Amino acid sequence: MFNVRRQLLLTAMCMAAGMGVSAPASAQEFPNKTLTIVVPFSAGGGVDTIARLLAEKLRATLKQNVIVDNKAGGSGMIGAMAVVKAAPDGYTLLLGSAGETAINAFVYKNKMQYSPSKDLAPITLVTRIPNVLVVSPAFPAKNIEELVAYAKKNPGKVAYSTSGVGNPQHLNGELLEELAGIHMVHIPYKGAAGQLIDVVSGNVDMTFVSYTAAKGFIKDGKVKAIAVTSAKRTSFAPDIAAIAEYKPLANYQLENWFGLFAPAGTPDDVLQKLNAAVTQAIKDPELAKKLQDQGGEPAPMSTQQFRDFIKTESVQFQRIVDTAKITAE
């Protein structure tokens, strides 16, 4: 009887040891099935376009099928929540923007059903998306210095449009008001088309919007490009000055950005393999050019660099949201 029990014990130990050895092996074999990149916005938008460009490159790099799944709604939070609830195995990923991964927690507060810092594992930053500040042709300013001077002489009379409350465009306006010491009126729209058309018509003085959405209007002379919101001029529109070039606004910098995330608890070696694959894809000259054509600056980072980046960005976002008392219903 003793020998039988001893044999059973040895067998169980061997099985346990075998299981301990096989777990890392499964991670080393990653990926061995289709990966899904969840886009928390509708098809055809900027995030969706970049996700599909990235998926195309990752199929070759990872030698697996990579599909894009659009789960729009809730200011990006429905799609993010779907990834939070997914198995932490690296097969369901989120291409998220600054909104649902770093801003909404301060705007929506306890209305959010997940914590970006606790429930999502950063993989890498993919691209930074500066907004461009454009004004109507009739607006009496051709650069940021003249715009600030005009706004100071006309407090509360300059109106700017954005695609919603509490998003990076809105924060661009609030930061400009704070650093320049001016007071403007924020008019939120439900998309870039409406916010731009009303600037073209002169119903609204100016807007913060992606360069991709505005470049056709800029080229046709329907709006005037005043400045970009990045710290320096961009590679895709080097003729447009940065707001920070105006010395009183030297500290101005606020961009939207898109990054790749996995559910919290995803094994670190899987995160590192994904980071390496995405970094390789982004550094490909063909994809880098396509990202620039979308108004983005390719910006791959290590997982730790991306975590640190999000923390730094979140500090600025929270300060602006709290100072401006921004809340969303």
Side-chain angles (χ1 to χ4, degrees), residues 23-313:
S26 63
Q28 289 170 5
E29 294 165 2
F30 174 89
N32 55 23
K33 62 179 182 179
T34 297
L35 290 84
T36 299
I37 298 177
V38 173
V39 171
F41 300 99
S42 301
V47 187
D48 177 68
T49 299
I50 290 173
R52 294 179 189 280
L53 291 172
L54 181 61
E56 181 181 357
K57 284 294 180 184
L58 288 179
R59 291 185 191 108
T61 303
L62 294 172
K63 295 180 174 57
Q64 283 293 338
N65 190 28
V66 181
I67 63 173
V68 174
D69 184 11
N70 297 88
K71 294 184 181 295
S75 295
M77 293 184 288
I78 290 176
M81 191 63 191
V83 175
V84 167
K85 290 182 176 179
D89 54 12
Y91 288 96
T92 304
L93 308 172
L94 172 72
L95 184 64
S97 70
E100 66 278 5
T101 62
I103 298 175
N104 288 357
F106 310 120
V107 175
Y108 291 88
K109 297 184 171 68
N110 57 3
K111 295 178 184 177
M112 285 186 66
Q113 298 181 357
Y114 65 95
S115 168
S117 61
K118 295 178 181 178
D119 298 328
L120 291 171
I123 296 172
T124 186
L125 184 63
V126 175
T127 183
R128 303 175 75 132
I129 310 286
N131 283 312
V132 59
L133 171 56
V134 300
V135 302
S136 68
F139 188 75
K142 62 179 181 295
N143 55 48
I144 191 65
E145 182 177 357
E146 292 179 2
L147 187 154
V148 170
Y150 180 83
K152 284 184 175 180
K153 291 179 181 178
N154 299 274
K157 294 184 179 180
V158 176
Y160 71 98
S161 61
T162 71
S163 59
V165 174
N167 62 22
Q169 296 176 0
H170 183 190
L171 270 56
N172 278 137
E174 295 290 351
L175 183 60
L176 179 59
E177 289 188 73
E178 176 190 344
L179 296 183
I182 59 178
H183 172 55
M184 302 186 295
V185 178
H186 174 226
I187 303 177
Y189 285 67
K190 291 186 177 180
Q195 75 186 84
L196 269 166
I197 289 171
D198 272 7
V199 173
V200 172
S201 66
N203 291 329
V204 180
D205 297 304
M206 64 187 220
T207 189
F208 293 91
V209 69
S210 71
Y211 179 73
T212 304
K215 63 182 178 181
F217 293 94
I218 296 170
K219 183 179 179 181
D220 293 341
K222 294 180 178 179
V223 296
K224 294 186 291 186
I226 295 292
V228 290
T229 65
S230 47
K232 298 179 180 179
R233 298 191 184 204
T234 66
S235 62
F236 51 82
D239 56 324
I240 303 177
I243 291 176
E245 290 180 34
Y246 177 42
K247 287 186 179 180
L249 302 179
N251 293 325
Y252 191 102
Q253 179 184 8
L254 196 154
E255 305 161 89
N256 194 4
W257 41 261
F258 303 154
L260 202 64
F261 298 80
T266 301
D268 186 64
D269 52 356
V270 171
L271 296 177
Q272 298 305 326
K273 188 163 187 177
L274 286 166
N275 177 278
V278 175
T279 298
Q280 179 181 338
I282 297 171
K283 288 183 176 180
D284 180 275
E286 181 184 6
L287 180 56
K289 177 63 168 58
K290 288 179 179 179
L291 292 176
Q292 290 171 335
D293 290 343
Q294 293 299 313
E297 298 283 15
M301 296 179 174
S302 70
T303 54
Q304 186 57 54
Q305 287 173 331
F306 190 29
R307 290 189 190 98
D308 294 341
F309 172 82
I310 295 169
K311 288 179 182 178
T312 300
E313 290 284 284

